[in-house]
DNA sequence: TTAAATAAGATACATTTTGTATCTTTATGC
DNA sequence: GCATAAAGATACAAAATGTATCTTATTTAA
């Protein structure tokens, strides 16, 4: 979809290129050591292009991670959720889908997103995105639990925050013990944590 | 304990001053925008002092957060843990002590610690510290559960990773929903998560 | 199809930060 | 009190910043 007849990139083409150059640099350069100079060189453009859009590399990073994290927060992966006939299977599928999205976006990117979030409390745009995501997560959990109840499984009433547990678990695992994540670990989360918490 | 008769600071006195100047700057300057110049000025010393110790602000930050996080990882707050006569009370005390340590050190500092950790996988010193901490956490949980079992409470056998749940919960809460933390929230964690997970 | 508008890219310049090196001064330990 | 180690001051070339101006390519709309 990229126009190759033009040598001078514009708009979103250029923006993508800047994003990618920055992400690529984070493989070798620590986040705290990034400079506009390097980014401009990596993206084959001039520094002016960067200064017209952002005042510091921090702002650029913030924009990138907000953008990249969108897929995690739009909750579109929930569309693949099926009623598997048991809460156990539904939970496992939920964790698997969520973890796959983490993997697809890249755990480092999401970790960085959450880090920048703590650095900047007045980011209303991201806050809105995050708030909507939490709403979607809650509604998804409510639906899963409702289905289970309809099937006759005994479901406990819990506070709303507790409904965030599956997502909290995946986030923690990717931040603290990323090397630990596999099918067995997800199954253990369901068996030893989620089922005891949400069922009698 | 600070010597005031000397105008020229040395060793740990100077180091403390550099650490404090850096931390102070992080109130106004984003982590990714810190410079040695600023830090030297803030600490009333010369840049040479900084370059003799670290090559980039990132390294300095890493050292600071490793140092500050020590108190969280040495597990000394566990000494205050008593046998309260019920698992419910023991869990609540554990969460309270852990959260108080978070508060004392500063949640931002610990969040930053974990972030830098993801940026640098080859930090053997911190890895050792972290590994020892996990060991201590596991042993503490085992002790608490053992006490409960001795009292006659029905305790489930779970994987080691699951024993990290109390600490994972507090970490998540401080990273994602810091405004949400109070006595009620901790009680809900015990009631709706920890007790169902660890007892029959 | 051409002209006007818009944004990219090149360049320049003063300022700040970096990284290194050298020298002087102060504090500490023997 | 003297030797040693480390702090602090200073200097300098190189890199990065922040801003401004000018040229050139691409888009839009007349």
């Amino acid at each position: 979809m990229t126009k190759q007849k033009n040598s001078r990139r514009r708009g979103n083409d250029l923006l993508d290129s800047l994003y990618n150059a920055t992400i690529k640099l984070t493989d070798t350069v620590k986040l705290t050591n990034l400079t506009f100079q390097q980014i401009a060189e990596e993206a084959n453009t001039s520094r002016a292009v960067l200064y017209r859009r952002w005042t510091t590399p921090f702002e650029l990073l913030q924009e990138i991670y907000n953008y990249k994290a969108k897929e995690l927060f739009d909750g579109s992966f929930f569309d693949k959720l099926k009623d598997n006939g048991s809460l156990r299977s539904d939970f496992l599928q939920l964790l698997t889908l969520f973890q796959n999205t983490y993997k697809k976006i890249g755990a480092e990117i999401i970790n960085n997103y959450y880090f920048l979030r703590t650095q900047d409390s007045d980011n209303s745009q991201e806050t809105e995105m995050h708030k909507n995501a939490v709403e979607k997560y809650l509604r998804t959990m409510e639906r899963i639990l409702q289905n289970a109840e309809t099937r006759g499984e005994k479901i406990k009433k819990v506070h709303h925050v507790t409904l965030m547990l599956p997502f909290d678990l995946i986030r923690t695992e990717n931040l603290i013990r990323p090397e630990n994540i596999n099918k067995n670990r997800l199954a253990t989360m369901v068996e030893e944590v989620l089922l005891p918490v949400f069922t009698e």
Side-chain angles (χ1 to χ4, degrees), chain A residues 20-36:
Chain A
N20 292 335
T22 307
I23 299 260
K24 189 178 171 193
L25 276 174
T26 60
D27 284 345
T28 50
V29 182
K30 312 280 185 211
L31 232 56
T32 63
N33 298 338
L34 277 180
T35 67
F36 273 157

Side-chain angles (χ1 to χ4, degrees), chain A residues 83-143:
Chain A
D83 187 328
N84 298 282
S86 77
L87 188 55
R88 172 177 284 105
S89 310
D90 283 356
F91 274 156
L92 189 59
Q93 198 194 6
L94 178 66
L95 292 187
T96 305
L97 280 175
F98 200 63
Q99 173 59 26
N100 284 346
T101 311
Y102 247 84
K103 232 159 116 182
K104 190 179 164 201
I105 297 175
E108 332 78 53
I109 287 185
I110 303 173
N111 290 335
N112 288 351
Y113 165 84
Y114 276 107
F115 164 67
L116 294 192
R117 187 170 175 267
T118 67
Q119 292 282 300
D120 186 10
S121 51
D122 304 320
N123 190 349
S124 54
Q125 194 190 353
E126 90 83 30
T127 305
E128 196 58 33
M129 175 173 81
H130 211 262
K131 232 164 57 185
N132 290 336
V134 169
E135 274 311 307
K136 256 172 222 150
Y137 291 179
L138 291 178
R139 270 183 274 130
T140 301
M141 274 296 282
E142 281 165 352
R143 206 182 70 223

Side-chain angles (χ1 to χ4, degrees), chain A residues 10 23 36-37 42 52 73 99 122 126 132 173 181 199:
Chain A
R10 280 201 161 207
I23 299 260
F36 273 157
Q37 189 101 326
E42 181 68 36
R52 274 175 200 133
F73 294 133
Q99 173 59 26
D122 304 320
E126 90 83 30
N132 290 336
E173 216 63 16
I181 306 174
T199 62

Side-chain angles (χ1 to χ4, degrees), chain A residues 5 29 32 43 46 51 53 59 72-73 81 86 100 106 132 152 166 177 190 194:
Chain A
K5 76 170 184 188
V29 182
T32 63
S46 95
Y51 281 105
R53 289 172 166 81
E59 270 187 29
L72 186 72
F73 294 133
L81 274 177
S86 77
N100 284 346
N132 290 336
R177 299 174 287 265
V190 172
L194 297 184

